[in-house]
């Protein structure tokens, strides 16, 4: 069983930065494709970016250049660095994992088998 535990999140002003971390256990991280999802109020959970087992990351257009996903297989962790935050970035962020080497930006939430508990990010002045 793969377990994901998130940390980070909080309240930040527009233009600010946050880091979300996801620690994993139960499976070697290098065998997993990983993703970060955002569930904004009243909306479906949508992927904001994902990272192949190779370390190559993909991003939705609206976060490109602002968000960065990284992974450390030796520590079984992966992070989401959020910069230049906008009010529209607010919501609950979830880390997610699926067995296999590749991830896809068109994947829906049901493509992922393992989930973190979620971390609230509120961007407000």
């Amino acid at each position: 069983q793969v377990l994901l535990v998130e940390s980070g999140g909080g309240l930040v002003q527009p233009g600010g930065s946050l880091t979300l971390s996801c620690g994993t256990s139960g499976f070697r991280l290098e065998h997993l494709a990983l993703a970060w999802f955002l569930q904004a109020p009243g909306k479906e959970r949508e992927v904001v970016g994902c990272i192949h087992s190779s370390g190559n990351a993909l991003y939705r257009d609206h976060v490109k250049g602002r968000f960065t996903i990284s992974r450390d297989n030796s520590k079984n962790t992966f992070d989401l660095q959020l910069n230049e935050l906008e009010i529209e970035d607010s919501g609950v962020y979830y880390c997610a994992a699926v067995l296999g080497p590749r991830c896809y930006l068109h994947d829906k939430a049901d493509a992922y088998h393992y989930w973190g508990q979620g971390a609230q990010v509120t961007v407000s002045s």
Side-chain angles (χ1 to χ4, degrees):
Q1 180 72 14
V2 178
L3 296 178
L4 305 180
V5 179
E6 295 185 46
S7 60
L11 174 64
V12 63
Q13 292 186 339
S17 297
L18 279 175
T19 302
L20 304 179
S21 295
C22 191
T24 70
S25 62
F27 212 86
R28 294 176 66 89
L29 196 66
E30 58 260 37
H31 298 304
L32 302 173
L34 309 167
W36 287 94
F37 283 74
L38 167 63
Q39 187 158 20
K43 295 187 178 181
E44 291 186 356
R45 198 174 297 189
E46 293 186 337
V47 65
V48 296
C50 66
I51 186 166
H52 299 316
S53 62
S54 65
N56 291 330
L58 307 174
Y59 302 94
R60 297 288 297 277
D61 286 345
H62 67 284
V63 305
K64 276 182 182 176
R66 300 190 299 121
F67 291 8
T68 302
I69 299 174
S70 60
R71 61 190 295 160
D72 188 335
N73 291 342
S74 67
K75 296 182 179 178
N76 286 328
T77 62
F78 64 108
D79 293 346
L80 177 65
Q81 176 66 40
L82 305 92
N83 296 324
E84 300 176 32
L85 281 160
E86 303 170 354
I87 292 175
E88 293 76 19
D89 296 323
S90 297
V92 180
Y93 284 78
Y94 295 90
C95 59
V98 62
L99 291 173
R102 297 186 64 84
C103 62
Y104 303 92
L105 290 178
H106 61 256
D107 279 338
K108 301 298 183 184
D110 59 8
Y112 286 80
H113 303 145
Y114 308 105
W115 291 88
Q117 78 276 20
Q120 177 70 45
V121 172
T122 302
V123 185
S124 176
S125 55

